[in-house]
Amino acid sequence: MYVGQFKANQLVDRLEAAAKARQATVARFRARPSADDPIVLARQSARRAVIQAREVRVNERGMARLAAEAQREAEALAAQEREAAEAARQAAEKLERQAALAAEQKAARDARFAARKARARR
């Protein structure tokens, strides 16, 4: 019989502890400040300020990212333009060298032809 009483007491203790916990939760809920309490309003305004500051920082980072991306694109475009200008310059130099070589070859050919004519006239 002693064991039965012990178990019954345990059950009663658990039920009482659960009831006290429920009462504590209700008391904590009722003790909460109302929505128009200055402390609650101050906390809400502080949260709004933090959220707005976070949004500003996010927007600033986004703008900085876009600016950096635009700068990279501009630099890439400038590099492509420089490469194109260099390629055009090299092509022009190559054409000039080919024209000069052709002129030298023609002059040498003409000189050989003139020498051959001169030998034939003697």
Side-chain angles (χ1 to χ4, degrees):
M1 292 241 176
Y2 178 71
V3 174
Q5 285 178 339
F6 183 71
K7 286 186 178 178
N9 286 341
Q10 262 186 342
L11 177 65
V12 170
D13 290 341
R14 284 195 314 248
L15 290 174
E16 286 176 0
K20 285 180 185 176
R22 276 193 301 275
Q23 287 175 356
T25 302
V26 169
R28 209 171 42 239
F29 181 75
R30 287 186 180 153
R32 260 186 358 176
S34 64
D36 60 348
D37 190 4
I39 294 173
V40 172
L41 295 176
R43 195 177 305 144
Q44 286 176 347
S45 66
R47 285 181 185 151
R48 280 192 211 106
V50 168
I51 290 170
Q52 288 175 351
R54 183 181 307 130
E55 288 175 356
V56 167
R57 286 192 310 270
V58 166
N59 289 337
E60 287 175 353
R61 280 195 301 266
M63 297 287 281
R65 188 179 322 114
L66 290 175
E69 185 176 320
Q71 183 176 357
R72 281 192 304 269
E73 288 176 2
E75 289 173 357
L77 184 61
Q80 287 176 348
E81 289 176 358
R82 282 192 304 269
E83 290 173 2
E86 179 66 19
R89 185 186 63 76
Q90 288 177 353
E93 287 178 358
K94 184 177 179 181
L95 287 175
E96 288 177 15
R97 284 193 306 268
Q98 287 175 347
L101 181 62
E104 287 177 20
Q105 289 174 345
K106 184 175 183 330
R109 190 172 51 245
D110 289 346
R112 284 193 311 267
F113 180 73
R116 195 169 43 233
K117 285 280 200 178
R119 279 193 306 261
R121 286 187 191 152
R122 283 196 244 165

